[in-house]
Amino acid sequence: MSERRKISEYVMQPGTGKAVELSRGQILRVEQIEGGQCVDFNCFNLHDYKEFMHCGRTRTVHGFNPSRGTFMWSAPPRERAMLYILEDTYGRNDVLFPRCSAYVYESAYGFDVHTNCHDIQAEAQREFGLTPDDVHDSFNLFMCTEVTLDGHATMTRQNTEPGDHVDLLALMDVLAVPNVCGADVMRTSNFSLKPIRLTVFEATPADLAVVPNVPVLKSQRTPKDFRNPVIKADRALQRDPAYAPEFPNVPIMVSDLPVALSAEELALLRSVKLDIYGDDAAAALRDILFSWWEERFLGAHAGAPAIEGR
Ligand SMILES: [Zn+2]
C-alpha cells in the first residue's frame, strides 16, 4: 500500500480554530495531542458556501454518533455526501449537541466573556469572508453523548489519548473548519482545553477504494435548478409583489392504486396484519413497506464499527 503524501500540518491552540481548504481527494486528520479534547467542526462547499454540512440529515442516516464508514451530508436540496469518515480511532463523535455559544456561558454560568465554539468558528470562517450568521450546526468530534430513554441528551467525559484521530476524506472541494471546543466548565473536554493537530494528506488509491459508491439522484438540486438562484444580499425581508406560488406537485391528488398480490404474498400480509388496521389492507401494506424501508435505509448505518473506548 502506498504512503499518504503529507500536504500540510497545523496545530490549533485552545481558543482557536482554522479554516482549511480541502480539495476533493484530500484527507483532513484531526488528532489529539494530549488527549481529552472535543473539536467542533463546520464544512462548506468551497465553490458555493450556501451548500454546507447538515447534522440533521447525517444523524438521520448514520445515527447520533457517526463514526468510521459514514458520510457527512449537505443540507437539502443539495443532500450530497461532502466527506467520508475514513478512520476514527476513538469512535465517539456527536451530531446532537449544538455548538457552545457566548449566551450559554453567560446564561448558565454568569461569564459574560468566555471562549466558545460559535465565536471561534465565526473568527476562523472570517478568513474566507463568512459572517457569524454563517456558522452552522456543529459536528462534534471526540464528544461522548447519549440520549436517555426520556429523550434528553447527555454527555460524559472522554478518554481519548494522544494520537487518537479522525480522518475526513473530502468527496468535493470543501472549506473544513475545525476548532478547539471552548467548553472548559463542562465534561465535553474533561474540564480543560488542549491543542489539536491538523494534518492534510493526499488520499491514496487504497483510501479512495474503500468509499462506498453513492448514486447521484435527480432530486439533488443545485442553484441552476432554483427558481431564485440569487443569494439575498440585504438583511430585511420584504414581500415580492410579483410572487405567485408554484409549490411542487400541487394540487396533491389522492387516488387508489391496485396492487396485485400473489397468494403467497397475501398469506404473508394476513399473517402480519394487526387488528389496528381493521379491514384496511392498504394501511397494513403501507406499514409493512415502511418497515422494510426503515430497515433498509435507516437501520443500515453504513457499516459503522462497534463503538470502542467508552
Ligand atoms: Zn464548544
Side-chain angles (χ1 to χ4, degrees):
M1 193 188 288
S2 56
E3 279 279 296
R4 284 180 189 164
R5 184 173 69 85
K6 188 197 285 188
I7 295 170
S8 62
E9 191 176 293
Y10 182 84
V11 173
M12 289 193 300
Q13 294 300 333
T16 74
K18 182 66 185 165
V20 182
E21 290 168 279
L22 275 188
S23 298
R24 183 178 177 206
Q26 292 182 344
I27 295 165
L28 174 64
R29 172 168 294 181
V30 182
E31 183 180 359
Q32 297 286 339
I33 294 176
E34 298 175 24
Q37 179 60 48
C38 171
V39 174
D40 283 44
F41 182 82
N42 270 204
C43 184
F44 302 86
N45 176 339
L46 189 60
H47 309 297
D48 180 359
Y49 79 101
K50 286 289 190 182
E51 180 171 18
F52 54 88
M53 194 185 76
H54 191 234
C55 287
R57 173 167 175 80
T58 302
R59 70 174 164 257
T60 302
V61 179
H62 303 300
F64 298 145
N65 307 115
S67 182
R68 181 158 58 88
T70 62
F71 294 99
M72 308 310 295
W73 294 87
S74 62
R78 320 296 183 96
E79 297 190 272
R80 296 195 293 169
M82 304 181 81
L83 301 163
Y84 181 71
I85 304 180
L86 260 184
E87 183 56 273
D88 181 359
T89 62
Y90 185 55
R92 295 300 301 272
N93 307 295
D94 168 83
V95 278
L96 200 55
F97 273 81
R99 58 196 178 274
C100 60
S101 64
Y103 179 86
V104 166
Y105 295 103
E106 185 173 8
S107 61
Y109 296 92
F111 301 137
D112 59 344
V113 176
H114 191 281
T115 181
N116 67 84
C117 287
H118 178 89
D119 288 342
I120 299 170
Q121 275 288 331
E123 183 56 17
Q125 293 178 20
R126 190 171 67 83
E127 186 175 357
F128 285 79
L130 296 176
T131 75
D133 284 337
D134 296 312
V135 178
H136 64 70
D137 244 4
S138 176
F139 175 39
N140 306 307
L141 285 75
F142 312 109
M143 186 174 179
C144 297
T145 61
E146 287 174 343
V147 180
T148 57
L149 284 177
D150 63 355
H152 287 89
T154 62
M155 81 177 90
T156 58
R157 294 171 71 103
Q158 56 169 290
N159 52 6
T160 53
E161 293 178 352
D164 271 331
H165 60 271
V166 177
D167 286 349
L168 301 164
L169 169 66
L171 303 177
M172 61 173 75
D173 297 348
V174 298
L175 186 69
V177 193
N179 75 270
V180 176
C181 173
D184 60 345
V185 288
M186 304 176 194
R187 294 193 193 108
T188 329
S189 299
N190 305 350
F191 301 97
S192 66
L193 306 181
K194 284 82 68 181
I196 286 286
R197 178 175 291 111
L198 306 175
T199 314
V200 177
F201 298 97
E202 197 72 57
T204 65
D207 289 325
L208 301 176
V210 302
V211 182
N213 189 36
V214 182
V216 175
L217 304 182
K218 277 192 292 191
S219 58
Q220 293 170 303
R221 280 154 286 156
T222 63
K224 69 176 172 27
D225 307 309
F226 296 174
R227 268 190 205 109
N228 177 10
V230 180
I231 295 174
K232 189 172 142 48
D234 53 346
R235 291 182 180 276
L237 297 173
Q238 281 166 340
R239 197 173 67 82
D240 174 3
Y243 168 77
E246 290 180 53
F247 294 103
N249 311 321
V250 167
I252 301 289
M253 309 290 280
V254 178
S255 55
D256 288 335
L257 179 68
V259 178
L261 299 181
S262 66
E264 191 184 353
E265 288 165 337
L266 193 59
L268 186 63
L269 178 64
R270 288 202 172 116
S271 72
V272 296
K273 191 163 151 311
L274 303 174
D275 290 342
I276 55 168
Y277 304 121
D279 293 332
D280 192 349
L285 196 56
R286 281 195 293 270
D287 242 348
I288 291 167
L289 289 173
F290 180 77
S291 299
W292 173 84
W293 173 85
E294 208 174 22
E295 197 173 304
R296 172 103 163 69
F297 292 101
L298 298 186
H301 290 165
I307 290 170
E308 295 157 10
R310 299 178 80 153

